[in-house]
Amino acid sequence: MRIGELSRRTGVSVPTIKFYVREGLLPAGRLTSPNQAAYDETHVRRLRLIRALMDVGGLSVAAVREVITAVDDPERPVHALLGEAAERMVPRYGGEPAEGEEGDGEEDGGLVEARERVDALIREREWRCFPGSLAAEALAVALAALGAVGHERFAEVLDDYADAAERVARADLEYVGRHVVREELVESVAVGTVLGDALFAALRRLAQIDASDRLFGGKGEKGTEGEKEKE
Amino acid sequence: MRIGELSRRTGVSVPTIKFYVREGLLPAGRLTSPNQAAYDETHVRRLRLIRALMDVGGLSVAAVREVITAVDDPERPVHALLGEAAERMVPRYGGEPAEGEEGDGEEDGGLVEARERVDALIREREWRCFPGSLAAEALAVALAALGAVGHERFAEVLDDYADAAERVARADLEYVGRHVVREELVESVAVGTVLGDALFAALRRLAQIDASDRLFGGKGEKGTEGEKEKE
DNA sequence: GCTATCTGATAGTGCCACTATCTATGATGG
DNA sequence: CCATCATAGATAGTGGCACTATCAGATAGC
């Protein structure tokens, strides 16, 4: 198929497809003549992956490129890939939130303390991961941020969160073991990690709405009344 | 305190503080003379809230403004805030993933089907929430995206995810009931929802790394044996 | 008085994800 | 054969966003 059909089938505009090729997210089409190229199902699939990661997972072009590079590299040992894939896609909150750069001694945002707490958690649960990994740091940053806004005691529910996280991780791996063939393993982990975050966040919100309605709302009727869709 | 000290104490630059005031995220200081204003602890706290929501939660300025508007409104019932804060915080690109706009009849991205599945889930679990809420729609979009990239069977683990979500929501509400006084309720829910997402995502990644190491890795390094849970 | 700091305003910056436009070439069809 | 259309590839531009720079004029505190 030519680029026009690829565009139609994926809902991505032609210039945007060219942009993705330039950015290294999508392999170029196979040239059949100096100004004609053929695209196939792999391009359709890849394009859908890109859009899913960006639209639903909220990843940037650069992040998508990293994920895709890992997905495309056939050399990497599976387990390294899994760890890496999971590591690399800490969405946006992953970078350097520049939380303690003022360094005036007055505050470090409680990051040091939070890191200790994270290390302790990992030790307690005997999780096999580097304590200094990006995910561990992201966790510490989130904990420190909670402390900074006056919710340091939120850490008390950390264990409940960790239980839930273990359950989700177990479900993920079970799914992978059940349905995924070896060549698709890495992509599945990438997809599952990114889209799974969005999935879980949405579920959590629904469950929260339900729980808070039962606790605080629940003026007899069902459902949050009003609930104006948008503005 | 004057703006310089506020800046020092929070690590936010003076121009940025002024920017937040202009944007309606932060109340202006109390003017003590035509060109001097005094700031207090509430400004420090608010500024930290803003940075936490943006840096850790990944919210945009506009999203932070909406959350803060809700936080500042003393009339707002808690569960209405949940509907608001919880649903407004799809990262930066989040709003309308524009997933089915091609509408050429060929594909709708499976959104319709996904919505049905979501409605069924809500019914089964007897969750008290409006089935057309943004959270429900976000869930449907995530499910549809999974289907579009060839992982429609991922929906099989939806129940495990939902169990975990319920557990987290229960922990959230428990925390709120234990530690939060009425005036801070709304802010706590906002903070907990946004930062809780980041917290859980990080925990999930750690748990995944652990689980995948147990399943696929451990080639002679630390903790060799497989110890696979099932199957 | 002198200097550092402040308010409030306007304009500018840098990044990012596209999007527009152009040339030259080849495909398609009557 | 020739008109019309789609295409590759390249360069430049757009719009949104989160700041950031600069300025004038006023004040604080020594």
Side-chain angles (χ1 to χ4, degrees), chain A residues 147-171:
Chain A
V149 296
H151 286 274
E152 44 285 303
R153 312 199 61 171
F154 197 85
E156 285 171 19
V157 301
L158 208 54
D159 262 319
D160 291 303
Y161 270 63
D163 286 344
E166 279 184 355
R167 167 161 223 154
V168 164
R170 226 178 299 126

Side-chain angles (χ1 to χ4, degrees), chain A residues 2 29 41-42 48 50 94 96 102-103 122 131 135 145 155 159 197 228-229:
Chain A
R2 297 194 291 170
E41 288 307 314
T42 68
R48 289 201 177 126
I50 293 168
E96 235 54 31
E102 61 269 30
I122 290 172
D159 262 319
D197 273 1
K228 46 231 174 95
E229 295 270 302

Side-chain angles (χ1 to χ4, degrees), chain B residues 31-46:
Chain B
L31 277 181
T32 58
S33 68
N35 68 335
Q36 296 287 304
Y39 302 83
D40 58 28
E41 289 306 316
T42 68
H43 292 93
V44 173
R45 186 184 168 86
R46 170 59 54 88

Side-chain angles (χ1 to χ4, degrees), chain A residues 119 180 187 210 229:
Chain A
D119 288 351
V180 178
E187 189 195 292
D210 171 66
E229 295 270 302

